[in-house]
Amino acid sequence: MGNPDQQENRAVDPAKVPQRELFTGARMPAVGLGTFGSDQVTADQVAEAVGGAAAVGYRHFDCASVYGNEAEVGASLERVMGTGIRREELWITSKLWNDKHGENDVIASCRKSLADLRLDYLDLYLVHWPFPNFHPPHCDVTSRSPDARPYIHENFMKTWRRMEELVDLGLVRHIGTSNVTVPKLKLILRDARIKPAVNEMELHPHFQQPELFEFVVDNGMQPIGYCPIGSPGRPERDRTPEDTTPTQDPVIVEIAQRHGVNPAAVCIKWAVQRGQTPIPFSVNHYYENLACVASDPLTSEEMRAIAAIDHDCRLIKGQVFLWKDGQTWEALWDVNGEITPA
Ligand SMILES: NC(=O)c1ccc[n+]([C@@H]2O[C@H](COP(=O)([O-])OP(=O)(O)OC[C@H]3O[C@@H](n4cnc5c(N)ncnc54)[C@H](OP(=O)(O)O)[C@@H]3O)[C@@H](O)[C@H]2O)c1
């Protein structure tokens, strides 16, 4: 087999992977495996990586219906549990896609993910984006939905009430947000009966989002960081000429050389030590991405050096969610500190 992660009999003891305690007291492994194949890696390859990752010590898997591979991932999870790993040892996240925000769609959509993943509950279910805007999978960056809507808090809360019902029904242990901003989260926290346990957000050394990060932590939520190594395999539609690459940053490269690891590992070590939960995607490097957090921590000086290389460089800009002609992607992210008006 060509995959180095599968060639040798190596593994990380899951007890050595740091954990995050959620407000319910539940514990979530502080590194998860991302499962978005970025349009390039097939569902079967991702599913194989899930099985391989579980064998080397991963217990946390970040899934979503829109990744188009939950059925294949579910078959792998079933095999994983057949090897003696108990369901309670796993942390499985899935996400509600944007065309399923309707009050009658939320529970059905969660049940579909559960059936595909072959589970009877999820540890975490996220509203994937705060915009109820359908766009076809694989569409390019200029694609816009004629029915696109901005964030309308009243409507979001109707969706959230259904998310809360999923907890009441026992189908989901925790619910959370993703791709929200401080002003949106303030309203959600004010009005939620069951508050979000986590916020999933883009986080890497070139996009540290200090204000949102602190807000999330100060409000008793856990930050989960996507694109933790700068998503080198992201689809063409998510690339712009201004984007920077954290794994090529001289500060990261130098620290990597000092520790004898790949720059990606430095990004992951930094994320875990800072307090977020990175969910790196990998079909080829998943072992090293987990192993790197179990030993040889970065020094305080190295942590400070990485804190200083934030470029405020958002990679996943979300252009397809824009709802008005002539808008730029910043409108999605409430950059003026207020929810962008409709
Ligand atoms: N909530 C959201 O809206 C949202 C948005 C985006 C992503 N996500 C989640 O976050 C996960 C991670 O984000 P992402 O996949 O975009 O970006 P990422 O994890 O930063 O980057 C993944 C890419 O990095 C490569 N890679 C991983 N480890 C490496 C290593 N040690 N050395 C060299 N290359 C390495 C992978 O290639 P190999 O396979 O060859 O290792 C893959 O191409 C997704 O899979 C998804 O689960 C969520």
Side-chain angles (χ1 to χ4, degrees), residues 33-44:
L33 185 78
T35 65
F36 175 44
S38 291
D39 306 352
Q40 291 158 23
V41 182
T42 67
D44 286 335

Side-chain angles (χ1 to χ4, degrees), residues 34-36 38 62 67 95 128-129 178-179 200 226-233 262 264-265 279-285 288-289 316:
T35 65
F36 175 44
S38 291
D62 181 82
Y67 301 160
K95 313 187 190 84
H128 206 144
W129 286 82
S178 178
N179 297 307
E200 191 164 306
Y226 71 70
C227 303
I229 60 175
S231 197
N262 186 307
I279 44 169
F281 174 87
S282 183
V283 294
N284 294 308
H285 303 89
E288 62 191 74
N289 292 349
I316 306 302

Side-chain angles (χ1 to χ4, degrees), residues 259-274:
H259 288 261
V261 294
N262 186 307
V266 174
C267 296
I268 295 166
K269 287 160 95 70
W270 167 79
V272 172
Q273 286 181 233
R274 185 196 190 206

Side-chain angles (χ1 to χ4, degrees), residues 41-63:
V41 182
T42 67
D44 286 335
Q45 287 172 298
V46 174
E48 193 183 341
V50 165
V56 302
Y58 280 79
R59 295 294 179 264
H60 174 169
F61 298 92
D62 181 82
C63 310

Side-chain angles (χ1 to χ4, degrees), residues 63-70 94-100 109 112-113 116 125 128:
C63 310
S65 57
V66 75
Y67 301 160
N69 54 22
E70 288 194 323
S94 184
K95 313 187 190 84
L96 179 76
W97 190 234
N98 313 315
D99 57 343
K100 301 291 183 198
S109 191
K112 167 85 167 80
S113 284
D116 284 347
Y125 197 51
H128 206 144

